[in-house]
Amino acid sequence: MTSEIVIRVARPEEHARVAETYAAWGYGGGVLPSDVVFVAEEDGALVGIVRRTVEEGVTMLRGMQVAPERRGRGIGARLLRAFVEDLDGACTCIPYTHLTKFYGAEGFAVVADDDAPAFLQARLATYRARGLSVLVMRRPAGAAPGA
């Protein structure tokens, strides 16, 4: 029998557990008290996480992570769909370039570097200096899920 994966918003008191799981998966972004954190759980274990933050007035998708041993099973797509269904405006993210189609399936479109807010241009430069192949994507307000 296959266990069911449940997608839900984590309670604030669960943020420490989320941060510990992120660290165990090698993601160092952390969790802020103001973040809205979506989790995927299976039998009580975290198998996926994504956060909604607001930075300099910009709603951001941050920290999309799936447990390494669970990747390629649709967990990320389910997390992204739940995240998008909960949005009430535009949202921006900085994904790896190979994930353009993944985010595009939910209405995110590539933004030219020069059109991104200055703080995101600076973040892009930092990530790229570390050798990461990333870009900016934005989902406009009012885009339908699965757009």
Side-chain angles (χ1 to χ4, degrees), residues 11-69:
R11 295 178 308 278
E13 59 269 20
E14 296 176 291
H15 286 189
R17 176 181 174 223
V18 169
E20 290 168 5
T21 302
Y22 266 155
W25 293 345
Y27 176 75
V31 181
L32 297 174
S34 58
D35 290 350
V36 177
V37 182
F38 291 80
V39 295
E41 287 181 310
E42 184 176 37
D43 295 329
L46 292 178
V47 295
I49 305 167
V50 65
R51 306 181 340 267
R52 183 175 65 231
T53 67
V54 177
E55 301 173 39
E56 299 195 25
V58 178
T59 299
M60 298 287 302
L61 180 153
R62 301 285 311 267
M64 171 67 84
Q65 298 284 315
V66 173
E69 71 279 4

Coordinates of all heavy atoms in Angstrom, one line a residue, residues 11-69:
R11 N 2.4 25.2 10.3 CA 2.1 26.2 11.4 C 3.4 26.8 11.8 O 4.5 26.2 11.7 CB 1.5 25.5 12.6 CG 0.1 24.9 12.3 CD -0.5 24.1 13.5 NE 0.4 23.1 14.0 CZ 0.5 21.8 13.6 NH1 -0.1 21.5 12.5 NH2 1.4 21.0 14.2
P12 N 3.4 28.1 12.3 CA 4.6 28.8 12.7 C 5.5 28.0 13.7 O 6.7 28.0 13.6 CB 4.1 30.1 13.4 CG 2.8 30.3 12.7 CD 2.2 28.9 12.5
E13 N 4.9 27.2 14.6 CA 5.7 26.4 15.5 C 6.4 25.2 14.8 O 7.3 24.6 15.4 CB 4.8 25.9 16.7 CG 3.7 25.0 16.3 CD 2.4 25.8 16.1 OE1 2.4 27.0 15.8 OE2 1.3 25.1 16.1
E14 N 6.1 25.0 13.6 CA 6.8 23.9 12.8 C 8.0 24.5 12.0 O 8.7 23.7 11.4 CB 5.8 23.3 11.8 CG 4.7 22.5 12.5 CD 3.7 22.0 11.5 OE1 3.0 22.8 10.9 OE2 3.7 20.7 11.4
H15 N 8.2 25.8 12.0 CA 9.2 26.4 11.2 C 10.6 25.9 11.6 O 11.5 25.8 10.7 CB 9.1 27.9 11.2 CG 8.0 28.5 10.4 ND1 7.9 29.8 10.2 CD2 6.9 27.9 9.8 CE1 6.8 30.0 9.5 NE2 6.2 28.9 9.3
A16 N 10.9 25.6 12.8 CA 12.2 25.1 13.2 C 12.4 23.7 12.6 O 13.5 23.5 12.1 CB 12.3 25.0 14.7
R17 N 11.4 22.9 12.6 CA 11.5 21.6 11.9 C 11.8 21.8 10.4 O 12.6 21.0 9.8 CB 10.2 20.8 12.1 CG 10.1 19.5 11.4 CD 8.8 18.8 11.7 NE 8.7 17.6 11.0 CZ 7.6 17.2 10.3 NH1 6.5 18.0 10.4 NH2 7.5 16.1 9.7
V18 N 11.1 22.7 9.8 CA 11.3 23.0 8.4 C 12.8 23.4 8.2 O 13.4 22.9 7.3 CB 10.3 24.1 7.9 CG1 10.7 24.6 6.5 CG2 8.9 23.5 7.9
A19 N 13.3 24.3 9.0 CA 14.7 24.8 8.9 C 15.6 23.6 9.0 O 16.6 23.6 8.3 CB 14.9 25.9 9.9
E20 N 15.4 22.8 10.0 CA 16.3 21.6 10.2 C 16.3 20.7 9.0 O 17.3 20.1 8.6 CB 15.8 20.8 11.4 CG 16.1 21.5 12.7 CD 15.4 20.9 13.9 OE1 14.8 19.8 13.8 OE2 15.4 21.5 15.0
T21 N 15.1 20.5 8.4 CA 15.0 19.6 7.2 C 15.7 20.3 6.0 O 16.4 19.6 5.3 CB 13.5 19.4 6.9 OG1 12.9 18.8 8.0 CG2 13.3 18.5 5.7
Y22 N 15.5 21.6 5.8 CA 16.2 22.3 4.8 C 17.7 22.0 4.9 O 18.4 21.7 4.0 CB 16.0 23.8 4.9 CG 14.9 24.4 4.0 CD1 14.3 25.6 4.4 CD2 14.5 23.8 2.8 CE1 13.3 26.2 3.7 CE2 13.5 24.4 2.1 CZ 12.9 25.6 2.5 OH 11.9 26.2 1.7
A23 N 18.2 22.2 6.2 CA 19.7 22.1 6.4 C 20.1 20.6 6.1 O 21.2 20.4 5.5 CB 20.0 22.4 7.8
A24 N 19.3 19.7 6.4 CA 19.7 18.3 6.2 C 19.7 18.0 4.7 O 20.5 17.1 4.2 CB 18.6 17.3 6.8
W25 N 18.9 18.7 3.9 CA 18.9 18.6 2.4 C 19.9 19.5 1.7 O 20.0 19.5 0.5 CB 17.5 18.9 1.9 CG 16.4 17.9 2.3 CD1 16.6 16.7 2.8 CD2 15.0 18.1 2.2 NE1 15.4 16.1 3.0 CE2 14.4 17.0 2.6 CE3 14.3 19.2 1.7 CZ2 13.0 16.8 2.7 CZ3 12.9 19.1 1.8 CH2 12.3 17.9 2.2
G26 N 20.7 20.2 2.5 CA 21.8 21.1 2.0 C 21.3 22.4 1.5 O 22.0 23.1 0.8
Y27 N 20.1 22.8 1.9 CA 19.6 24.2 1.5 C 19.8 25.1 2.7 O 19.3 24.8 3.8 CB 18.1 24.1 1.1 CG 17.5 25.5 0.8 CD1 17.8 26.1 -0.3 CD2 16.7 26.1 1.7 CE1 17.3 27.4 -0.6 CE2 16.1 27.3 1.5 CZ 16.4 28.0 0.3 OH 15.9 29.2 0.0
G28 N 20.4 26.2 2.5 CA 20.8 27.1 3.6 C 19.9 28.4 3.7 O 20.3 29.3 4.4
G29 N 18.8 28.4 3.0 CA 18.0 29.6 3.0 C 17.3 30.0 4.3 O 16.9 31.1 4.5
G30 N 17.0 29.0 5.1 CA 16.3 29.3 6.4 C 14.9 29.6 6.2 O 14.3 29.5 5.1
V31 N 14.2 29.9 7.3 CA 12.8 30.2 7.4 C 12.6 31.4 8.3 O 13.2 31.5 9.4 CB 12.0 29.1 7.9 CG1 10.5 29.4 8.0 CG2 12.3 27.8 7.1
L32 N 11.9 32.4 7.8 CA 11.5 33.6 8.6 C 10.1 33.4 9.3 O 9.3 32.7 8.7 CB 11.5 34.9 7.8 CG 12.9 35.2 7.2 CD1 12.7 36.4 6.2 CD2 13.9 35.5 8.2
P33 N 9.9 34.0 10.4 CA 8.6 33.9 11.0 C 7.4 34.4 10.1 O 6.3 33.9 10.2 CB 8.7 34.8 12.3 CG 10.1 34.8 12.6 CD 10.8 34.8 11.3
S34 N 7.7 35.4 9.2 CA 6.7 35.9 8.3 C 6.5 35.0 7.1 O 5.5 35.3 6.3 CB 7.1 37.3 7.9 OG 8.4 37.3 7.3
D35 N 7.3 34.0 6.9 CA 7.1 33.2 5.7 C 5.8 32.3 5.8 O 5.5 31.9 6.9 CB 8.3 32.2 5.6 CG 9.6 32.9 5.2 OD1 9.6 34.1 4.8 OD2 10.6 32.2 5.2
V36 N 5.2 32.1 4.7 CA 4.2 31.1 4.5 C 4.8 29.9 4.0 O 5.4 29.9 2.8 CB 3.0 31.6 3.6 CG1 1.9 30.5 3.5 CG2 2.4 32.9 4.2
V37 N 4.8 28.8 4.7 CA 5.6 27.6 4.3 C 4.6 26.5 4.0 O 3.8 26.0 4.8 CB 6.5 27.1 5.5 CG1 7.3 25.9 5.1 CG2 7.4 28.3 6.0
F38 N 4.8 26.0 2.8 CA 4.0 24.8 2.3 C 4.9 23.6 2.4 O 6.0 23.6 2.1 CB 3.6 25.0 0.8 CG 2.6 26.1 0.6 CD1 3.0 27.4 0.5 CD2 1.3 25.8 0.4 CE1 2.1 28.4 0.3 CE2 0.3 26.8 0.2 CZ 0.7 28.1 0.2
V39 N 4.3 22.5 3.0 CA 5.0 21.3 3.2 C 4.3 20.2 2.5 O 3.1 20.2 2.4 CB 5.3 21.0 4.7 CG1 6.2 22.0 5.3 CG2 4.0 20.9 5.4
A40 N 5.1 19.2 2.0 CA 4.5 17.9 1.6 C 5.0 16.9 2.6 O 6.2 16.8 3.0 CB 5.1 17.6 0.2
E41 N 4.1 16.1 3.2 CA 4.4 15.1 4.2 C 3.9 13.8 3.7 O 2.9 13.6 3.1 CB 3.7 15.5 5.5 CG 4.2 16.6 6.3 CD 3.5 16.8 7.5 OE1 2.2 16.9 7.5 OE2 4.1 17.0 8.6
E42 N 4.7 12.8 4.1 CA 4.3 11.4 3.9 C 4.6 10.7 5.2 O 5.7 10.6 5.7 CB 5.1 10.8 2.8 CG 4.7 9.4 2.5 CD 5.4 8.8 1.3 OE1 6.6 9.1 1.1 OE2 4.7 8.1 0.5
D43 N 3.6 10.1 5.8 CA 3.7 9.4 7.1 C 4.4 10.3 8.1 O 5.2 9.8 8.9 CB 4.4 8.1 6.9 CG 3.7 7.1 6.1 OD1 2.5 7.1 6.1 OD2 4.4 6.3 5.4
G44 N 4.0 11.6 8.1 CA 4.6 12.5 9.1 C 6.0 13.0 8.8 O 6.5 13.9 9.5
A45 N 6.6 12.5 7.8 CA 8.0 13.0 7.4 C 7.8 14.0 6.3 O 7.0 13.9 5.4 CB 8.8 11.8 6.9
L46 N 8.7 15.1 6.4 CA 8.7 16.1 5.4 C 9.4 15.5 4.1 O 10.5 15.0 4.2 CB 9.4 17.3 5.9 CG 8.8 18.1 7.0 CD1 9.7 19.3 7.4 CD2 7.4 18.6 6.5
V47 N 8.7 15.6 3.0 CA 9.3 15.2 1.7 C 9.4 16.3 0.7 O 10.0 16.1 -0.4 CB 8.5 14.0 1.1 CG1 8.7 12.8 2.1 CG2 7.1 14.3 0.9
G48 N 8.8 17.5 1.1 CA 8.9 18.7 0.2 C 8.6 19.9 0.9 O 7.8 19.9 1.9
I49 N 9.2 21.0 0.5 CA 9.0 22.3 1.2 C 9.1 23.4 0.1 O 9.9 23.4 -0.8 CB 10.1 22.6 2.2 CG1 10.2 21.5 3.3 CG2 9.8 24.0 2.9 CD1 11.4 21.5 4.1
V50 N 8.3 24.5 0.2 CA 8.4 25.7 -0.5 C 7.9 26.8 0.3 O 6.9 26.6 1.1 CB 7.7 25.7 -1.9 CG1 6.2 25.5 -1.8 CG2 8.1 26.9 -2.8
R51 N 8.5 28.0 0.2 CA 8.1 29.2 1.1 C 7.6 30.4 0.2 O 8.2 30.6 -0.9 CB 9.2 29.7 1.9 CG 9.9 28.6 2.8 CD 11.0 29.1 3.6 NE 11.7 30.4 3.3 CZ 12.8 30.5 2.6 NH1 13.3 29.4 2.0 NH2 13.3 31.6 2.4
R52 N 6.7 31.1 0.7 CA 6.3 32.4 0.2 C 6.8 33.5 1.1 O 6.5 33.5 2.3 CB 4.8 32.5 0.0 CG 4.4 33.8 -0.7 CD 2.9 33.9 -1.0 NE 2.1 33.9 0.2 CZ 1.1 33.1 0.4 NH1 0.7 32.2 -0.5 NH2 0.4 33.2 1.6
T53 N 7.6 34.4 0.6 CA 8.1 35.5 1.3 C 7.7 36.8 0.7 O 7.4 36.8 -0.5 CB 9.7 35.4 1.5 OG1 10.2 35.6 0.2 CG2 10.1 34.1 2.0
V54 N 7.9 37.9 1.4 CA 7.8 39.2 0.8 C 9.1 39.9 1.1 O 9.4 40.1 2.2 CB 6.5 40.0 1.3 CG1 6.5 41.4 0.7 CG2 5.3 39.2 1.0
E55 N 9.8 40.3 0.0 CA 11.0 41.0 0.1 C 11.0 42.3 -0.7 O 10.7 42.3 -1.8 CB 12.1 40.1 -0.4 CG 12.2 38.7 0.3 CD 13.2 37.8 -0.4 OE1 14.3 38.3 -0.8 OE2 12.9 36.6 -0.4
E56 N 11.2 43.4 0.0 CA 11.2 44.7 -0.6 C 9.9 44.9 -1.4 O 9.9 45.5 -2.5 CB 12.4 44.9 -1.4 CG 13.7 44.8 -0.6 CD 14.9 45.4 -1.3 OE1 14.8 46.3 -2.2 OE2 16.0 45.0 -0.9
G57 N 8.8 44.4 -0.8 CA 7.5 44.6 -1.4 C 7.2 43.6 -2.5 O 6.1 43.7 -3.1
V58 N 8.1 42.7 -2.8 CA 7.9 41.7 -3.9 C 7.6 40.3 -3.3 O 8.4 39.8 -2.4 CB 9.2 41.6 -4.8 CG1 9.0 40.5 -5.8 CG2 9.5 43.0 -5.4
T59 N 6.5 39.7 -3.7 CA 6.1 38.4 -3.2 C 7.1 37.4 -4.0 O 7.2 37.5 -5.2 CB 4.7 38.0 -3.5 OG1 3.9 39.0 -2.8 CG2 4.3 36.6 -3.1
M60 N 7.7 36.5 -3.2 CA 8.7 35.6 -3.7 C 8.4 34.2 -3.4 O 7.9 33.9 -2.3 CB 10.1 35.9 -3.1 CG 10.6 37.3 -3.4 SD 11.2 37.5 -5.1 CE 12.5 36.2 -5.2
L61 N 8.7 33.3 -4.4 CA 8.7 31.9 -4.1 C 10.1 31.5 -3.8 O 11.0 31.9 -4.6 CB 8.2 31.1 -5.4 CG 8.2 29.6 -5.3 CD1 7.2 29.0 -6.3 CD2 9.6 28.9 -5.5
R62 N 10.4 30.9 -2.7 CA 11.8 30.6 -2.2 C 11.8 29.2 -1.7 O 10.9 28.6 -1.2 CB 12.2 31.5 -1.0 CG 12.2 33.0 -1.3 CD 13.3 33.6 -2.1 NE 14.6 33.1 -1.7 CZ 15.5 33.8 -0.9 NH1 15.1 34.9 -0.3 NH2 16.7 33.3 -0.6
G63 N 13.0 28.6 -1.9 CA 13.3 27.4 -1.2 C 12.5 26.2 -1.6 O 12.2 25.3 -0.8
M64 N 12.2 26.1 -2.9 CA 11.5 24.9 -3.4 C 12.5 23.7 -3.3 O 13.5 23.7 -4.0 CB 11.0 25.1 -4.8 CG 10.5 23.8 -5.5 SD 9.0 23.1 -4.8 CE 7.8 24.1 -5.7
Q65 N 12.2 22.8 -2.4 CA 13.0 21.6 -2.2 C 12.2 20.4 -2.0 O 11.1 20.4 -1.4 CB 13.9 21.8 -0.9 CG 14.8 23.0 -0.9 CD 16.0 22.7 -1.8 OE1 16.6 21.6 -1.7 NE2 16.4 23.7 -2.6
V66 N 12.7 19.3 -2.6 CA 12.1 17.9 -2.4 C 13.2 17.0 -1.9 O 14.3 17.1 -2.3 CB 11.5 17.4 -3.7 CG1 11.0 16.0 -3.6 CG2 10.3 18.3 -4.2
A67 N 12.8 16.2 -1.0 CA 13.8 15.2 -0.4 C 14.5 14.5 -1.6 O 13.9 14.1 -2.5 CB 13.1 14.2 0.5
P68 N 15.9 14.5 -1.5 CA 16.6 13.9 -2.6 C 16.2 12.6 -3.1 O 16.1 12.3 -4.3 CB 18.1 13.9 -2.1 CG 18.1 15.0 -1.1 CD 16.7 15.0 -0.5
E69 N 15.8 11.7 -2.2 CA 15.4 10.4 -2.5 C 13.9 10.3 -3.1 O 13.5 9.3 -3.5 CB 15.5 9.4 -1.3 CG 14.5 9.6 -0.2 CD 14.9 10.8 0.8 OE1 15.9 11.5 0.5 OE2 14.1 11.0 1.7

